[in-house]
Amino acid sequence: PVRYRKRVGKSKISGTVRGVVGAGYKILTTIGREWLCARAVARRGERVVVFSRLPEPGNTKTRMIPALGEQGAADLQREMTTHALQVADHFRTMREADVEVRYTGSNRPAMADLFGHHFQYTPQGEGDLGQKLARAVSDAFAAGRRRVICIGCDVPDITPERLCEAMHALAKHDVVIGPACDGGYYLIGMKAWHPHLFQQIDWGSERVYEQTLRQAESTGLRVCNLPTLSDVDEPDELPVWHRVQKHTKRNTPWLSVIIPTLNEASHLPRAIESAKQETNIELIITDGGSTDETLNIAEAAGAKVIVGDACRGAQLRTGADAATGEVLLFLHADTRLPFGFARHVQQVLGQPNTMAGAFAMQFDGVDLSLRCIEWGTKIRSQQFDLPYGDQALFMTRQTYDAVGGFDDLPVMDDYDLVQRLKQRGRVRTCEAAALTSARKYLDHGPWRVVWAHQKQIWRWRHR
């Protein structure tokens, strides 16, 4: 009877501890989710306004008609508008901003049918360009936007990264301007309403940028000037558009997913399926000598297969060397990417001072200890910029090359790379979670695995 009472007491204490830990985990998760939602809502205070018009033959790009004809000039207007909206839409997914199209020469249904119904369309209204710009900016601030950028469709070299640069500049400046080669500007942005910037300007002349800059400086506004870009208004400027089109239409994938494997036939199909949900993705499998069906599964999925040494660091480095994408994502074979992962990659890499990113961790098991490990991983990743490889690290090719890439390490390859990345900037973790197999934790004991990881880190730091 005494021994029985002791066992019951221990059971009650254990149940109480589990209840407290579970309640604490729920509270912290709720607080974190609300904080992230608040950040997302605040970021939606940014707006990009794209100025364009319906591409009607004879009424658009009239200075191009002698070289292209009326229909060719209209086609050019349509293609350049599509390009500008793709850039703005890409920026929207990176920053969770909104995009408004200010149009002229048509009605809303015609513009939406041609360029997509997911944009907000508003008529430019009457007046000169200055009055139209002033109206667009004023309406944006009246709608609660905190930062507003206006762009046209005549500058093909504008990119989502350029728009991010403009938004970041508004953190320390009052106005941001992108001068064009013809004396005008291709971009203007501000974080407060300054109507005098659109007054007393000789619109259509080569003095627009100079006069706007003078207006800003006369009232003490801090101005950030972006690099000068070429617009396409005259036939002799068409090579600029052709160059951008040639670059855009390349078959080069924008993202390469690299998966190291060694006898992963049971998990690899789900990892591949999660990666192939997106288009324009390059899939690379670097195998360390599997003896099961891993290679057949990889080849059947159309992946680029590379066989080498059974060293994960070397496998990752080999896969990166063979990749052609602008962004590299390193995925473990027993991990599945979240739905719409490409959008999350764009959002994270679009943030200032960001060198790399990763996903939150979620195990496929239901054990309470796994939830505790997830919570600890969240704190480690978000507060200390220290995600691990099973969270699917990603970065641009330029960043990867700048830090020297992976070393030939059998373990600690991911930790070593993240430490070098942190010396140059932030390693951010997005809210979306990658689903990871809990097999090694359940097979060897969750806390035993965690303790083994900590010992490896200590040895690596004191090597």
mmCIF file of all heavy atoms in Angstrom, residues 47-80:
data_model
loop_
_atom_site.group_PDB
_atom_site.id
_atom_site.type_symbol
_atom_site.label_atom_id
_atom_site.label_comp_id
_atom_site.label_asym_id
_atom_site.label_seq_id
_atom_site.Cartn_x
_atom_site.Cartn_y
_atom_site.Cartn_z
ATOM 1 N N ARG A 47 2.555 50.500 -50.109
ATOM 2 C CA ARG A 47 1.840 50.395 -51.381
ATOM 3 C C ARG A 47 2.752 50.784 -52.527
ATOM 4 O O ARG A 47 3.520 51.748 -52.446
ATOM 5 C CB ARG A 47 0.602 51.292 -51.392
ATOM 6 C CG ARG A 47 -0.068 51.405 -52.767
ATOM 7 C CD ARG A 47 -1.352 52.190 -52.730
ATOM 8 N NE ARG A 47 -2.396 51.471 -52.007
ATOM 9 C CZ ARG A 47 -3.639 51.929 -51.869
ATOM 10 N NH1 ARG A 47 -3.973 53.114 -52.365
ATOM 11 N NH2 ARG A 47 -4.529 51.212 -51.208
ATOM 12 N N VAL A 48 2.633 50.031 -53.620
ATOM 13 C CA VAL A 48 3.291 50.363 -54.879
ATOM 14 C C VAL A 48 2.207 50.740 -55.885
ATOM 15 O O VAL A 48 1.272 49.968 -56.105
ATOM 16 C CB VAL A 48 4.127 49.181 -55.415
ATOM 17 C CG1 VAL A 48 4.709 49.531 -56.772
ATOM 18 C CG2 VAL A 48 5.235 48.835 -54.441
ATOM 19 N N VAL A 49 2.324 51.920 -56.473
ATOM 20 C CA VAL A 49 1.378 52.389 -57.476
ATOM 21 C C VAL A 49 2.050 52.323 -58.847
ATOM 22 O O VAL A 49 3.122 52.917 -59.042
ATOM 23 C CB VAL A 49 0.911 53.824 -57.186
ATOM 24 C CG1 VAL A 49 -0.136 54.252 -58.211
ATOM 25 C CG2 VAL A 49 0.346 53.928 -55.772
ATOM 26 N N VAL A 50 1.453 51.580 -59.758
ATOM 27 C CA VAL A 50 1.998 51.419 -61.109
ATOM 28 C C VAL A 50 1.139 52.238 -62.073
ATOM 29 O O VAL A 50 -0.079 52.032 -62.163
ATOM 30 C CB VAL A 50 2.002 49.940 -61.535
ATOM 31 C CG1 VAL A 50 2.606 49.793 -62.929
ATOM 32 C CG2 VAL A 50 2.781 49.096 -60.534
ATOM 33 N N PHE A 51 1.778 53.154 -62.797
ATOM 34 C CA PHE A 51 1.076 53.985 -63.769
ATOM 35 C C PHE A 51 1.171 53.357 -65.155
ATOM 36 O O PHE A 51 2.263 53.039 -65.625
ATOM 37 C CB PHE A 51 1.662 55.399 -63.793
ATOM 38 C CG PHE A 51 1.155 56.284 -62.689
ATOM 39 C CD1 PHE A 51 1.594 56.118 -61.386
ATOM 40 C CD2 PHE A 51 0.219 57.274 -62.955
ATOM 41 C CE1 PHE A 51 1.118 56.920 -60.363
ATOM 42 C CE2 PHE A 51 -0.271 58.089 -61.947
ATOM 43 C CZ PHE A 51 0.182 57.911 -60.641
ATOM 44 N N SER A 52 0.013 53.192 -65.805
ATOM 45 C CA SER A 52 -0.009 52.608 -67.144
ATOM 46 C C SER A 52 -1.297 53.024 -67.858
ATOM 47 O O SER A 52 -2.070 53.844 -67.347
ATOM 48 C CB SER A 52 0.098 51.082 -67.067
ATOM 49 O OG SER A 52 0.211 50.531 -68.355
ATOM 50 N N ARG A 53 -1.495 52.420 -69.033
ATOM 51 C CA ARG A 53 -2.706 52.676 -69.796
ATOM 52 C C ARG A 53 -3.015 51.453 -70.648
ATOM 53 O O ARG A 53 -2.147 50.587 -70.855
ATOM 54 C CB ARG A 53 -2.554 53.910 -70.675
ATOM 55 C CG ARG A 53 -1.481 53.777 -71.748
ATOM 56 C CD ARG A 53 -1.373 55.062 -72.557
ATOM 57 N NE ARG A 53 -2.651 55.400 -73.157
ATOM 58 C CZ ARG A 53 -3.119 56.655 -73.273
ATOM 59 N NH1 ARG A 53 -2.387 57.667 -72.800
ATOM 60 N NH2 ARG A 53 -4.264 56.896 -73.852
ATOM 61 N N LEU A 54 -4.238 51.362 -71.141
ATOM 62 C CA LEU A 54 -4.606 50.243 -71.999
ATOM 63 C C LEU A 54 -3.833 50.334 -73.309
ATOM 64 O O LEU A 54 -3.775 51.401 -73.936
ATOM 65 C CB LEU A 54 -6.113 50.267 -72.282
ATOM 66 C CG LEU A 54 -6.651 49.045 -73.024
ATOM 67 C CD1 LEU A 54 -6.676 47.843 -72.095
ATOM 68 C CD2 LEU A 54 -8.049 49.308 -73.576
ATOM 69 N N PRO A 55 -3.224 49.245 -73.770
ATOM 70 C CA PRO A 55 -2.440 49.278 -75.018
ATOM 71 C C PRO A 55 -3.330 49.288 -76.269
ATOM 72 O O PRO A 55 -3.559 48.257 -76.900
ATOM 73 C CB PRO A 55 -1.602 47.996 -74.928
ATOM 74 C CG PRO A 55 -2.405 47.077 -74.069
ATOM 75 C CD PRO A 55 -3.108 47.947 -73.077
ATOM 76 N N GLU A 56 -3.826 50.450 -76.629
ATOM 77 C CA GLU A 56 -4.680 50.598 -77.813
ATOM 78 C C GLU A 56 -3.840 51.043 -79.006
ATOM 79 O O GLU A 56 -3.095 52.029 -78.909
ATOM 80 C CB GLU A 56 -5.784 51.621 -77.546
ATOM 81 C CG GLU A 56 -6.709 51.243 -76.399
ATOM 82 C CD GLU A 56 -7.679 52.348 -76.068
ATOM 83 O OE1 GLU A 56 -7.236 53.504 -75.933
ATOM 84 O OE2 GLU A 56 -8.885 52.048 -75.935
ATOM 85 N N PRO A 57 -3.897 50.366 -80.130
ATOM 86 C CA PRO A 57 -3.127 50.762 -81.323
ATOM 87 C C PRO A 57 -3.429 52.199 -81.728
ATOM 88 O O PRO A 57 -4.587 52.604 -81.831
ATOM 89 C CB PRO A 57 -3.589 49.769 -82.390
ATOM 90 C CG PRO A 57 -4.063 48.574 -81.616
ATOM 91 C CD PRO A 57 -4.666 49.129 -80.363
ATOM 92 N N GLY A 58 -2.391 52.965 -81.922
ATOM 93 C CA GLY A 58 -2.540 54.353 -82.327
ATOM 94 C C GLY A 58 -2.596 55.338 -81.187
ATOM 95 O O GLY A 58 -2.409 56.543 -81.401
ATOM 96 N N ASN A 59 -2.843 54.864 -79.953
ATOM 97 C CA ASN A 59 -2.970 55.754 -78.795
ATOM 98 C C ASN A 59 -1.903 55.528 -77.735
ATOM 99 O O ASN A 59 -1.878 56.258 -76.740
ATOM 100 C CB ASN A 59 -4.351 55.591 -78.158
ATOM 101 C CG ASN A 59 -5.472 56.052 -79.069
ATOM 102 O OD1 ASN A 59 -5.292 56.998 -79.840
ATOM 103 N ND2 ASN A 59 -6.612 55.388 -79.006
ATOM 104 N N THR A 60 -1.068 54.533 -77.927
ATOM 105 C CA THR A 60 -0.026 54.251 -76.930
ATOM 106 C C THR A 60 1.326 54.126 -77.616
ATOM 107 O O THR A 60 1.424 53.671 -78.767
ATOM 108 C CB THR A 60 -0.315 52.935 -76.181
ATOM 109 O OG1 THR A 60 -0.471 51.871 -77.120
ATOM 110 C CG2 THR A 60 -1.597 53.051 -75.369
ATOM 111 N N LYS A 61 2.367 54.555 -76.905
ATOM 112 C CA LYS A 61 3.741 54.505 -77.419
ATOM 113 C C LYS A 61 3.813 55.104 -78.829
ATOM 114 O O LYS A 61 4.391 54.517 -79.759
ATOM 115 C CB LYS A 61 4.244 53.058 -77.443
ATOM 116 C CG LYS A 61 4.533 52.477 -76.059
ATOM 117 C CD LYS A 61 5.734 53.126 -75.425
ATOM 118 C CE LYS A 61 6.065 52.543 -74.071
ATOM 119 N NZ LYS A 61 7.155 53.281 -73.402
ATOM 120 N N THR A 62 3.253 56.287 -78.970
ATOM 121 C CA THR A 62 3.149 56.885 -80.310
ATOM 122 C C THR A 62 4.518 57.189 -80.912
ATOM 123 O O THR A 62 4.673 57.165 -82.140
ATOM 124 C CB THR A 62 2.317 58.170 -80.234
ATOM 125 O OG1 THR A 62 2.868 59.049 -79.231
ATOM 126 C CG2 THR A 62 0.867 57.844 -79.856
ATOM 127 N N ARG A 63 5.518 57.463 -80.077
ATOM 128 C CA ARG A 63 6.849 57.738 -80.613
ATOM 129 C C ARG A 63 7.523 56.478 -81.152
ATOM 130 O O ARG A 63 8.538 56.570 -81.849
ATOM 131 C CB ARG A 63 7.713 58.374 -79.530
ATOM 132 C CG ARG A 63 7.410 59.857 -79.297
ATOM 133 C CD ARG A 63 8.279 60.455 -78.220
ATOM 134 N NE ARG A 63 7.804 60.101 -76.888
ATOM 135 C CZ ARG A 63 8.384 60.518 -75.752
ATOM 136 N NH1 ARG A 63 9.476 61.264 -75.801
ATOM 137 N NH2 ARG A 63 7.890 60.172 -74.570
ATOM 138 N N MET A 64 6.958 55.310 -80.826
ATOM 139 C CA MET A 64 7.484 54.048 -81.342
ATOM 140 C C MET A 64 6.804 53.627 -82.648
ATOM 141 O O MET A 64 7.255 52.674 -83.292
ATOM 142 C CB MET A 64 7.282 52.945 -80.296
ATOM 143 C CG MET A 64 8.128 53.096 -79.047
ATOM 144 S SD MET A 64 9.880 52.802 -79.402
ATOM 145 C CE MET A 64 10.564 52.868 -77.740
ATOM 146 N N ILE A 65 5.735 54.293 -83.019
ATOM 147 C CA ILE A 65 4.971 53.875 -84.201
ATOM 148 C C ILE A 65 5.815 53.888 -85.481
ATOM 149 O O ILE A 65 5.721 52.953 -86.291
ATOM 150 C CB ILE A 65 3.704 54.741 -84.350
ATOM 151 C CG1 ILE A 65 2.732 54.413 -83.200
ATOM 152 C CG2 ILE A 65 3.034 54.519 -85.705
ATOM 153 C CD1 ILE A 65 1.465 55.247 -83.219
ATOM 154 N N PRO A 66 6.674 54.914 -85.712
ATOM 155 C CA PRO A 66 7.495 54.871 -86.935
ATOM 156 C C PRO A 66 8.375 53.630 -87.047
ATOM 157 O O PRO A 66 8.659 53.158 -88.152
ATOM 158 C CB PRO A 66 8.344 56.145 -86.822
ATOM 159 C CG PRO A 66 7.524 57.069 -85.983
ATOM 160 C CD PRO A 66 6.844 56.180 -84.985
ATOM 161 N N ALA A 67 8.811 53.081 -85.947
ATOM 162 C CA ALA A 67 9.690 51.914 -85.968
ATOM 163 C C ALA A 67 8.930 50.601 -85.844
ATOM 164 O O ALA A 67 9.324 49.592 -86.454
ATOM 165 C CB ALA A 67 10.718 52.011 -84.847
ATOM 166 N N LEU A 68 7.819 50.588 -85.111
ATOM 167 C CA LEU A 68 7.118 49.336 -84.825
ATOM 168 C C LEU A 68 5.739 49.256 -85.446
ATOM 169 O O LEU A 68 5.166 48.155 -85.516
ATOM 170 C CB LEU A 68 6.985 49.148 -83.297
ATOM 171 C CG LEU A 68 8.281 49.135 -82.484
ATOM 172 C CD1 LEU A 68 7.969 49.025 -80.997
ATOM 173 C CD2 LEU A 68 9.185 47.987 -82.917
ATOM 174 N N GLY A 69 5.187 50.357 -85.892
ATOM 175 C CA GLY A 69 3.805 50.369 -86.352
ATOM 176 C C GLY A 69 2.851 50.525 -85.178
ATOM 177 O O GLY A 69 3.244 50.364 -84.013
ATOM 178 N N GLU A 70 1.600 50.817 -85.476
ATOM 179 C CA GLU A 70 0.636 51.054 -84.393
ATOM 180 C C GLU A 70 0.418 49.809 -83.535
ATOM 181 O O GLU A 70 0.406 49.880 -82.308
ATOM 182 C CB GLU A 70 -0.694 51.528 -84.983
ATOM 183 C CG GLU A 70 -0.629 52.910 -85.628
ATOM 184 C CD GLU A 70 -1.991 53.380 -86.093
ATOM 185 O OE1 GLU A 70 -2.958 52.576 -86.022
ATOM 186 O OE2 GLU A 70 -2.115 54.546 -86.521
ATOM 187 N N GLN A 71 0.261 48.642 -84.185
ATOM 188 C CA GLN A 71 0.042 47.422 -83.413
ATOM 189 C C GLN A 71 1.301 47.020 -82.657
ATOM 190 O O GLN A 71 1.228 46.576 -81.503
ATOM 191 C CB GLN A 71 -0.389 46.283 -84.342
ATOM 192 C CG GLN A 71 -0.769 44.995 -83.611
ATOM 193 C CD GLN A 71 -1.929 45.189 -82.648
ATOM 194 O OE1 GLN A 71 -2.981 45.718 -83.030
ATOM 195 N NE2 GLN A 71 -1.766 44.776 -81.394
ATOM 196 N N GLY A 72 2.464 47.176 -83.279
ATOM 197 C CA GLY A 72 3.707 46.842 -82.590
ATOM 198 C C GLY A 72 3.945 47.724 -81.375
ATOM 199 O O GLY A 72 4.417 47.254 -80.338
ATOM 200 N N ALA A 73 3.615 49.019 -81.496
ATOM 201 C CA ALA A 73 3.762 49.923 -80.359
ATOM 202 C C ALA A 73 2.800 49.543 -79.240
ATOM 203 O O ALA A 73 3.153 49.600 -78.048
ATOM 204 C CB ALA A 73 3.528 51.368 -80.799
ATOM 205 N N ALA A 74 1.575 49.150 -79.608
ATOM 206 C CA ALA A 74 0.607 48.713 -78.598
ATOM 207 C C ALA A 74 1.074 47.421 -77.922
ATOM 208 O O ALA A 74 0.908 47.250 -76.702
ATOM 209 C CB ALA A 74 -0.762 48.523 -79.235
ATOM 210 N N ASP A 75 1.636 46.503 -78.712
ATOM 211 C CA ASP A 75 2.166 45.265 -78.126
ATOM 212 C C ASP A 75 3.302 45.557 -77.152
ATOM 213 O O ASP A 75 3.419 44.905 -76.100
ATOM 214 C CB ASP A 75 2.651 44.327 -79.226
ATOM 215 C CG ASP A 75 1.512 43.766 -80.063
ATOM 216 O OD1 ASP A 75 0.360 43.795 -79.587
ATOM 217 O OD2 ASP A 75 1.770 43.301 -81.196
ATOM 218 N N LEU A 76 4.139 46.542 -77.510
ATOM 219 C CA LEU A 76 5.231 46.917 -76.611
ATOM 220 C C LEU A 76 4.683 47.473 -75.303
ATOM 221 O O LEU A 76 5.185 47.133 -74.212
ATOM 222 C CB LEU A 76 6.128 47.950 -77.288
ATOM 223 C CG LEU A 76 7.295 48.481 -76.438
ATOM 224 C CD1 LEU A 76 8.264 47.362 -76.093
ATOM 225 C CD2 LEU A 76 8.013 49.622 -77.159
ATOM 226 N N GLN A 77 3.646 48.300 -75.380
ATOM 227 C CA GLN A 77 3.028 48.836 -74.175
ATOM 228 C C GLN A 77 2.466 47.711 -73.294
ATOM 229 O O GLN A 77 2.636 47.719 -72.063
ATOM 230 C CB GLN A 77 1.910 49.810 -74.556
ATOM 231 C CG GLN A 77 1.062 50.306 -73.403
ATOM 232 C CD GLN A 77 1.804 51.243 -72.482
ATOM 233 O OE1 GLN A 77 2.784 51.863 -72.908
ATOM 234 N NE2 GLN A 77 1.384 51.336 -71.230
ATOM 235 N N ARG A 78 1.833 46.743 -73.915
ATOM 236 C CA ARG A 78 1.263 45.616 -73.168
ATOM 237 C C ARG A 78 2.361 44.799 -72.493
ATOM 238 O O ARG A 78 2.251 44.440 -71.311
ATOM 239 C CB ARG A 78 0.439 44.726 -74.101
ATOM 240 C CG ARG A 78 -0.090 43.449 -73.448
ATOM 241 C CD ARG A 78 -0.888 42.622 -74.449
ATOM 242 N NE ARG A 78 -0.141 42.380 -75.667
ATOM 243 C CZ ARG A 78 0.803 41.459 -75.803
ATOM 244 N NH1 ARG A 78 1.128 40.692 -74.765
ATOM 245 N NH2 ARG A 78 1.425 41.298 -76.955
ATOM 246 N N GLU A 79 3.438 44.504 -73.237
ATOM 247 C CA GLU A 79 4.521 43.692 -72.678
ATOM 248 C C GLU A 79 5.239 44.417 -71.539
ATOM 249 O O GLU A 79 5.569 43.799 -70.516
ATOM 250 C CB GLU A 79 5.518 43.343 -73.786
ATOM 251 C CG GLU A 79 4.950 42.396 -74.849
ATOM 252 C CD GLU A 79 5.883 42.248 -76.035
ATOM 253 O OE1 GLU A 79 6.953 42.898 -76.022
ATOM 254 O OE2 GLU A 79 5.538 41.496 -76.965
ATOM 255 N N MET A 80 5.459 45.726 -71.701
ATOM 256 C CA MET A 80 6.165 46.471 -70.658
ATOM 257 C C MET A 80 5.283 46.639 -69.418
ATOM 258 O O MET A 80 5.785 46.614 -68.286
ATOM 259 C CB MET A 80 6.616 47.823 -71.198
ATOM 260 C CG MET A 80 7.656 47.726 -72.300
ATOM 261 S SD MET A 80 8.315 49.321 -72.828
ATOM 262 C CE MET A 80 9.294 49.768 -71.417
#
